[in-house]
Amino acid sequence: TAVNADEHEMPNESHLVEKVESVRNDYDGLTFHIKLVDEIEPRWISSKIANLRYPQAVIAFWESHVEFA
């Protein structure tokens, strides 16, 4: 099971993103399911935090999942 992450238990900035697996829209807004390289399980990280800590991974996720016509 995934670990829910908030600002108090966030990985430090040396953690590298292996993959942004999915996104969900819940009562707090968008949340990304992110697998970090040195962790076994992915964790849910709010978009506000993910956009600041892992901007390139978030951009790559959207580029691979959204198609503009």
Side-chain angles (χ1 to χ4, degrees):
T1 63
V3 176
N4 288 320
D6 64 19
E7 293 163 56
H8 302 291
E9 58 182 39
M10 281 305 302
N12 67 40
E13 295 182 27
S14 66
H15 285 65
L16 298 176
V17 173
E18 183 175 314
K19 182 179 181 182
V20 177
E21 297 184 346
S22 61
V23 64
R24 69 180 180 193
N25 189 9
D26 56 21
Y27 62 93
D28 287 333
L30 291 178
T31 308
F32 291 100
H33 202 218
I34 296 178
K35 169 71 172 74
L36 299 173
V37 170
D38 56 349
E39 293 188 2
I40 295 170
E41 295 290 329
R43 55 171 69 203
W44 289 102
I45 300 175
S46 76
S47 62
K48 180 172 65 172
I49 294 170
N51 290 340
L52 291 172
R53 298 243 176 148
Y54 313 115
Q56 295 304 313
V58 170
I59 291 167
F61 172 82
W62 287 121
E63 286 178 340
S64 68
H65 287 83
V66 175
E67 183 177 316
F68 295 97

